[in-house]
């Protein structure tokens, strides 16, 4: 049972435009969410996080939005750059400190 | 500060064999977690070690085991390898607890191929 779902396996966006990556979760006990970015042949790197007491967190070009009632979070990248092309994973944490990852979305930013 | 290192980076084994993967966390980090990444499944949590004790365990069979040494280095062992064990195995370290205020830092992974 996939508790964290990224329903879009891939996404293509033009350079300079907004990239929106989506993530849905089923467990209402999750109270902390993170986004990781992964390049080929490298491990995932932490991008941005959000606590369930907030609905938005911003860091430069990256903004994460959390809609608790819909159990949905999204990552916005504005403006998108070719170097953003990677696989993006969302992850959720519950009280047991286990990270539950989604299956990833491959973002391709076209120059 | 050096990042998380994993050895070996690539490994080819045959069914029935066993394998041991190694992970050296960032200096000062005491928590080490292991994940399996396969296409379409994302990162699946295997287990987490803190101060030489397994603190959390995912839903994997007993063929998957691990341990942590006093210097926080960790090893993961898979016995009686199956074709389905072919995957990228990632190790992540964090300062104290893999949780909200303590980001996990990942190594580059070990690519295991089982023939």
């Amino acid at each position: 049972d996939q508790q964290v779902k990224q329903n879009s396996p891939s996404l293509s966006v033009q350079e300079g435009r907004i990239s929106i990556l989506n993530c849905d979760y089923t467990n209402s006990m999750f109270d902390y969410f993170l986004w990781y970015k992964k390049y080929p042949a490298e491990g995932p790197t932490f991008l941005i996080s959000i606590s369930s007491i907030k609905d938005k967190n911003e860091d430069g070009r990256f903004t994460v939005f959390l809609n608790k009632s819909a159990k949905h979070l999204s990552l916005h990248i504005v403006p998108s750059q070719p170097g953003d092309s990677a696989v993006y994973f969302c992850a959720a944490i519950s009280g047991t400190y286990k990270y539950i990852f989604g299956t990833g979305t491959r973002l391709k930013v076209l120059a | 500060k050096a990042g998380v290192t994993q050895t070996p980076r690539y490994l080819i084994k045959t069914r029935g064999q066993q394998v041991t993967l190694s992970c050296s966390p960032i200096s000062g980090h005491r928590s080490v977690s292991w994940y399996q990444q396969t296409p379409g499944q994302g990162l699946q949590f295997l287990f987490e070690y803190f101060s030489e004790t397994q603190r959390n365990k995912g839903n994997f069979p007993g063929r998957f085991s691990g341990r942590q040494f006093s210097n926080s280095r960790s090893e993961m062992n898979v016995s009686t390898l199956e074709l389905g064990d072919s995957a990228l195995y990632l190790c992540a370290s964090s300062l104290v607890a893999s949780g909200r205020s303590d980001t996990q830092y990942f190594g580059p992974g070990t690519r295991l191929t089982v023939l």
Side-chain angles (χ1 to χ4, degrees):
Chain A
D1 178 34
Q2 194 73 26
Q3 297 187 67
V4 177
K5 299 176 185 178
Q6 294 177 257
N7 293 316
S8 298
S10 63
L11 175 69
S12 290
V13 171
Q14 287 290 334
E15 181 180 5
R17 304 294 291 268
I18 183 172
S19 295
I20 300 176
L21 296 98
N22 295 304
C23 181
D24 297 296
Y25 61 96
T26 57
N27 190 337
S28 58
M29 297 301 292
F30 291 146
D31 59 2
Y32 200 78
F33 304 88
L34 310 93
W35 284 94
Y36 278 80
K37 178 170 74 173
K38 185 180 185 300
Y39 293 118
E42 294 182 13
T45 54
F46 170 73
L47 204 53
I48 192 169
S49 62
I50 187 167
S51 164
S52 61
I53 62 172
K54 295 185 173 182
D55 55 17
K56 176 182 173 182
N57 189 26
E58 197 170 350
D59 184 2
R61 296 186 297 113
F62 303 91
T63 303
V64 56
F65 295 92
L66 176 63
N67 183 332
K68 283 181 62 179
S69 60
K71 294 192 180 69
H72 177 84
L73 66 155
S74 61
L75 174 69
H76 292 209
I77 306 173
V78 184
S80 300
Q81 299 173 354
D84 296 329
S85 297
V87 178
Y88 289 79
F89 291 96
C90 66
I93 305 176
S94 66
T96 58
Y97 299 106
K98 281 198 298 192
Y99 279 49
I100 309 295
F101 281 86
T103 52
T105 296
R106 183 177 302 278
L107 173 66
K108 189 171 183 179
V109 180
L110 308 168
Chain B
K1 197 183 246 190
V4 178
T5 57
Q6 292 186 246
T7 56
R9 291 293 309 277
Y10 302 92
L11 205 49
I12 299 176
K13 292 283 189 180
T14 55
R15 278 182 301 174
Q17 287 187 308
Q18 73 148 17
V19 66
T20 300
L21 312 181
S22 180
C23 171
S24 293
I26 291 171
S27 177
H29 283 196
R30 294 167 61 191
S31 169
V32 173
S33 298
W34 288 89
Y35 294 85
Q36 181 194 65
Q37 184 189 2
T38 54
Q41 290 293 316
L43 279 74
Q44 303 282 312
F45 173 77
L46 280 153
F47 27 66
E48 182 206 2
Y49 286 88
F50 177 77
S51 292
E52 303 178 64
T53 301
Q54 188 180 87
R55 185 162 62 178
N56 263 310
K57 191 177 189 308
N59 298 323
F60 278 81
R63 300 185 296 106
F64 291 81
S65 63
R67 59 178 175 167
Q68 186 180 35
F69 301 94
S70 58
N71 61 358
S72 294
R73 190 177 71 85
S74 177
E75 286 182 347
M76 190 192 100
N77 185 76
V78 188
S79 63
T80 320
L81 283 166
E82 300 177 0
L83 294 178
D85 297 334
S86 294
L88 180 69
Y89 289 88
L90 291 158
C91 161
S93 78
S94 56
L95 202 56
V96 176
S98 57
R100 296 146 191 81
S101 60
D102 201 14
T103 304
Q104 285 193 334
Y105 296 87
F106 283 83
T110 294
R111 172 74 61 186
L112 172 65
T113 302
V114 181
L115 303 176

